[in-house]
Amino acid sequence: MRLDKFLCDLQLGTRSHVKDAIKKGLVSVNGVPVRLPEWKLDERRDTVIYMGKSLTYLQFHYYMLHKPAGIVTATRDQHETTVMDLLPAGCGKNLSPVGRLDKDTEGLLLITNDGELAHRLLSPKKHVEKTYYLECSGVLTADGLAMLENGVDIGDEAVTQPAKVRLITRSDCSYHMELTITEGRFHQVKRMVQAVGGSVTYLKRLSMGTLSLDTDLPKGSCRPLTEQELSDLKQLTATTPDR
């Protein structure tokens, strides 16, 4: 990899800025100052020092975002604030959200530039579990609960896959629950609740596969995944057979 591209990929400045820094002798490779922007290096093995700071090249980046309501899940939007606008500067290039949450939905969102992992997490054949916390208006009957757990008709060609339901509270006019699904159909959770006579008034994603929302992460904030979180996700998608 060219030295100037290496520095640009780490978002240390524009191509012209990093070229100027290199020519001024502010960059060394393996302890030797390098003044050629086109210098070829092994980004995996060579030690690069920029203005006294050792640099580590990461091909892929992984962030957990606590999405707040009112933000759209998109890489860019001309009129709305997107989840990408919540990331700090210099967090990596070519990042995208894995899947989407509705504008009014809160909770866990994984953002990465690892397209292969994103594909495996979203593949219908992998049946990766996603758990949501729901507050709903209406009455959840025993028949409605059974429909959610066994598959419900939401107007698509096929009924939904069986879901896991953990009922938290239930009254004559509302109920709260955790719902775990293995699909990602359009507005699926809201449509499932509508199919059993209810309406979602609050929705938050708690987990995706082995990754759970960090309860200490404020809304609108993000952090890199830990090594353990990333390892668990990769192991899940690597070992879960296509079904």
Side-chain angles (χ1 to χ4, degrees):
M1 177 182 289
R2 286 176 55 117
L3 181 57
D4 55 353
K5 183 180 187 303
F6 175 88
L7 297 176
C8 284
D9 283 356
L10 294 179
Q11 297 188 295
L12 294 174
T14 63
R15 183 62 66 91
S16 60
H17 175 82
V18 299
K19 282 184 176 181
D20 185 57
I22 294 169
K23 292 176 181 178
K24 288 180 178 179
L26 300 178
V27 183
S28 66
V29 180
N30 298 327
V32 179
V34 175
R35 296 177 181 268
L36 299 175
E38 66 272 20
W39 182 275
K40 293 296 183 66
L41 57 84
D42 184 337
E43 66 274 16
R44 303 285 182 242
R45 297 182 178 180
D46 291 339
T47 300
V48 180
I49 305 294
Y50 174 62
M51 298 182 66
K53 180 180 179 181
S54 179
L55 304 178
T56 301
Y57 184 81
L58 296 175
Q59 181 180 8
F60 297 121
H61 303 270
Y62 308 87
Y63 297 97
M64 174 190 299
L65 175 70
H66 189 166
K67 179 190 175 298
I71 306 296
V72 298
T73 304
T75 54
R76 62 181 63 87
D77 191 286
Q78 294 183 348
H79 308 289
E80 303 275 3
T81 301
T82 74
V83 292
M84 308 305 294
D85 295 325
L86 302 179
L87 301 182
C91 61
K93 299 179 66 176
N94 304 316
L95 294 165
S96 298
V98 178
R100 68 182 304 275
L101 295 178
D102 295 339
K103 183 177 179 180
D104 60 350
T105 300
E106 301 179 356
L108 173 68
L109 191 63
L110 174 63
I111 296 179
T112 183
N113 58 351
D114 186 342
E116 182 178 349
L117 177 62
H119 173 75
R120 293 201 302 265
L121 286 170
L122 297 175
S123 172
K125 295 181 180 180
K126 291 295 185 180
H127 291 258
V128 173
E129 291 188 343
K130 295 167 283 288
T131 298
Y132 297 82
Y133 168 72
L134 298 74
E135 296 181 0
C136 309
S137 61
V139 178
L140 181 62
T141 65
D143 288 342
L145 180 58
M147 290 170 64
L148 293 176
E149 293 177 329
N150 297 311
V152 58
D153 183 358
I154 60 174
D156 293 340
E157 292 183 0
V159 299
T160 61
Q161 292 290 321
K164 298 177 184 177
V165 179
R166 187 176 78 86
L167 196 59
I168 299 174
T169 64
R170 178 163 54 178
S171 69
D172 292 338
C173 60
S174 66
Y175 53 95
H176 300 171
M177 65 179 177
E178 288 184 4
L179 181 70
T180 301
I181 61 175
T182 57
E183 301 173 287
R185 304 189 197 183
F186 183 69
H187 294 320
Q188 180 172 344
V189 172
K190 295 176 181 178
R191 292 164 67 197
M192 289 175 70
V193 172
Q194 289 172 352
V196 297
S199 178
V200 175
T201 58
Y202 176 77
L203 182 59
K204 180 176 185 176
R205 183 155 69 188
L206 303 178
S207 66
M208 183 178 192
T210 57
L211 186 63
S212 296
L213 180 65
D214 186 340
T215 56
D216 292 327
L217 188 65
K219 291 180 185 179
S221 299
C222 71
R223 66 160 175 80
L225 296 194
T226 66
E227 291 185 5
Q228 187 64 55
E229 288 170 336
L230 180 57
S231 175
D232 290 344
L233 270 184
K234 289 184 173 181
Q235 182 176 5
L236 171 72
T237 57
T239 57
T240 302
D242 292 345
R243 291 180 286 173

